[in-house]
Amino acid sequence: MLRALLAAIAVTVGLGGEGTPPAVPVAPERPPAAVLGIVWNETGFAKPKLTRVKSLALEPFGRSVLLRLGGGSATAYSPDRRWLALGNGTTASIQLVDLQRMKQVGVVKLGLDGWVTFLSWQDGSLFAVVDGDTDHAVAVVDPVERKVVRRHRLNRAILGTQAGPGTVVLITGPRNHIGPIELTVVGGKGMTSVPVREIAGGWETENDSSGYRARQATPGLAIDAPGRRALIVPAGRTVAEVSLSNLAVRYHTLSEPVSLLGRLRNWLEPAAQAKLIEGPQRKAVWLENGLIAVTGANYTVSTDENGDPDVAAEAAGLSLIDTRTWSIRTIDDETSDVARFENTLLAFGATDWTAPTKAPGFGLVGYDLGGKELFHVLRRTAVSWIEAVDGLAYVTLNEKHYAVVDAATGHVFARARTKKPLSLVTN
């Protein structure tokens, strides 16, 4: 397998890599008794509910709170974790729930047209990102008074969002086409933006007599722990570093160590496909010691025999960018998504949604924050999604089948099946 060959070469040339994984600790931390989850119904006309579920069996118990239709599109805990804010995926509104009493305490209508895609509760402010056909905006909410303090409208498409200290940071692109992106910061001082002209992003589509054609370019966005700088990572060798104090932009060209790694996979520059479209999507996660994990997928859309668009995706693999030297090294070629925990990075990905049995997934791989492999579990299993709750990784195997994994050790505590679709309230 190419993963094993990449690891062997990385160790040989001294780039760091898997080597021989250390023994997995025998006694992982005891999981909590319960976690918060949202139970969905099979039909879209029944309201979901917020409830506590047993952390391993995922069985609901105790009191529950009925959510509005579309409720739970985004969530955020209050800083003291006594309240939970839940965004709505059909209307621009937020439900506020007292978790000690498991009772709704209010609803805030945001006065925008769209749905809530992101929430961040920082000190006394609740930031809500709203995206829709009409409005692209950030609303700043006073959760105690249950009112909107400010609305910041964007005349651009939202491509990515991250929370910074007392702020929300967004990257945006032109509406309806691909062009130079901007980085926008919303915080206590209002909203400020800066052009990032050397990186393009956005979406564009055409549908004419020759068929359907579409393209996307979605860079990754990562913010360092102190909240001083943001890094924007496209599918190319140029990355942008933005100071969040004065919005100064610097560009860096990534270099790859001279080795066979560069010949095995052209990760940075996806090759052109003989199809109607290709479009890169990237995700970036800041680790430690100046390292950033980058992954994603390269999408293609063609037209099937019925004239309908057919989507395919190829994993971009996992790479680490070292911001001290502005170099990049390849870790594996199969990852298309990652989840950061306190001291581990979990890599996974299932890009063949149409025929998972023909192309089984590679499972779940845990790395330390320097890129060294710690464990590899759920082998030959397609892992499509992970929800992080404290130190547990809830691994989605299919709509109602989950594996509960200790993120630090890779120990699989349990496999659980639910009666109804379930999503966990993450950290």
Side-chain angles (χ1 to χ4, degrees):
M1 176 181 283
L2 190 53
R3 169 188 291 277
L5 182 58
L6 282 168
I9 295 172
V11 171
T12 301
V13 300
L15 297 178
E18 296 176 357
T20 301
V24 174
V26 177
E29 288 190 23
R30 185 183 181 91
V35 295
L36 275 176
I38 299 172
V39 178
W40 306 88
N41 292 280
E42 304 288 353
T43 136
F45 299 103
K47 295 179 179 179
K49 64 179 182 179
L50 175 71
T51 183
R52 289 185 173 87
V53 297
K54 296 179 181 178
S55 64
L56 300 185
L58 297 181
E59 297 171 351
F61 70 94
R63 296 188 62 177
S64 62
V65 178
L66 199 63
L67 303 180
R68 294 183 163 197
L69 285 176
S73 62
T75 59
Y77 284 102
S78 62
D80 60 8
R81 295 179 72 90
R82 295 179 59 185
W83 284 20
L84 182 72
L86 300 104
N88 194 285
T90 56
T91 62
S93 63
I94 299 171
Q95 279 181 270
L96 298 171
V97 175
D98 184 328
L99 296 177
Q100 292 184 333
R101 296 184 295 161
M102 282 302 283
K103 182 178 179 181
Q104 176 181 300
V105 293
V107 175
V108 181
K109 295 182 179 180
L110 302 179
L112 295 165
D113 183 13
W115 51 93
V116 179
T117 61
F118 182 87
L119 289 172
S120 178
W121 197 326
Q122 304 188 49
D123 298 326
S125 296
L126 178 59
F127 296 91
V129 177
V130 175
D131 208 357
D133 295 332
T134 303
D135 285 332
H136 310 274
V138 180
V140 183
V141 175
D142 182 332
V144 177
E145 297 295 329
R146 297 164 204 165
K147 66 178 183 180
V148 177
V149 179
R150 287 180 299 277
R151 296 179 186 88
H152 301 283
R153 285 180 166 85
L154 298 157
N155 190 29
R156 295 171 62 83
I158 298 173
L159 305 180
T161 310
Q162 292 283 334
T167 63
V168 169
V169 181
L170 307 95
I171 49 175
T172 65
R175 290 193 180 192
N176 304 319
H177 71 278
I178 296 173
I181 67 168
E182 292 184 0
L183 182 135
T184 296
V185 179
V186 177
K189 296 181 180 180
M191 182 174 73
T192 54
S193 299
V194 61
V196 185
R197 295 184 176 90
E198 292 189 25
I199 295 179
W203 299 274
E204 55 192 22
T205 61
E206 288 183 43
N207 194 1
D208 54 28
S209 58
S210 62
Y212 177 87
R213 293 177 302 278
R215 180 172 174 78
Q216 69 160 2
T218 309
L221 171 65
I223 299 175
D224 66 359
R228 290 193 293 262
R229 56 180 175 158
L231 198 72
I232 303 170
V233 186
R237 291 192 176 274
T238 298
V239 300
E241 179 187 13
V242 183
S243 168
L244 296 180
S245 60
N246 60 11
L247 296 188
V249 181
R250 298 175 62 193
Y251 298 98
H252 304 277
T253 300
L254 299 176
S255 62
E256 195 163 13
V258 179
S259 71
L260 290 179
L261 289 175
R263 304 185 190 121
L264 287 172
R265 183 175 182 84
N266 195 3
W267 182 91
L268 288 169
E269 305 284 357
Q273 303 292 324
K275 296 187 179 181
L276 298 179
I277 177 181
E278 70 168 1
Q281 172 267 330
R282 292 294 180 266
K283 179 177 181 177
V285 178
W286 210 295
L287 303 179
E288 63 178 16
N289 297 325
L291 295 179
I292 295 174
V294 186
T295 186
N298 302 316
Y299 292 89
T300 60
V301 177
S302 57
T303 302
D304 64 17
E305 60 273 13
N306 298 320
D308 298 321
D310 183 28
V311 181
E314 179 186 14
L318 174 63
S319 295
L320 292 186
I321 294 175
D322 190 334
T323 61
R324 297 164 297 187
T325 60
W326 297 109
S327 61
I328 185 169
R329 61 183 172 97
T330 304
I331 302 297
D332 76 54
D333 67 311
E334 296 172 284
T335 298
S336 60
D337 205 348
V338 292
R340 161 81 193 267
F341 288 75
E342 184 177 2
N343 294 310
T344 53
L345 181 75
L346 299 190
F348 58 100
T351 55
D352 192 348
W353 307 294
T354 58
T357 56
K358 294 182 181 179
F362 66 90
L364 182 68
V365 183
Y367 296 96
D368 68 14
L369 300 187
K372 182 178 181 181
E373 183 176 317
L374 302 174
F375 54 82
H376 189 175
V377 297
L378 305 175
R379 294 172 185 262
R380 295 186 61 79
T381 301
V383 175
S384 59
W385 189 245
I386 286 179
E387 293 170 300
V389 183
D390 297 324
L392 295 178
Y394 286 87
V395 180
T396 300
L397 305 177
N398 60 44
E399 187 182 38
K400 301 177 186 177
H401 187 197
Y402 305 83
V404 186
V405 179
D406 185 297
T409 67
H411 176 76
V412 181
F413 281 112
R415 290 176 182 255
R417 290 187 180 273
T418 60
K419 294 181 179 180
K420 295 182 178 182
L422 173 73
S423 61
L424 283 305
V425 177
T426 64
N427 299 331

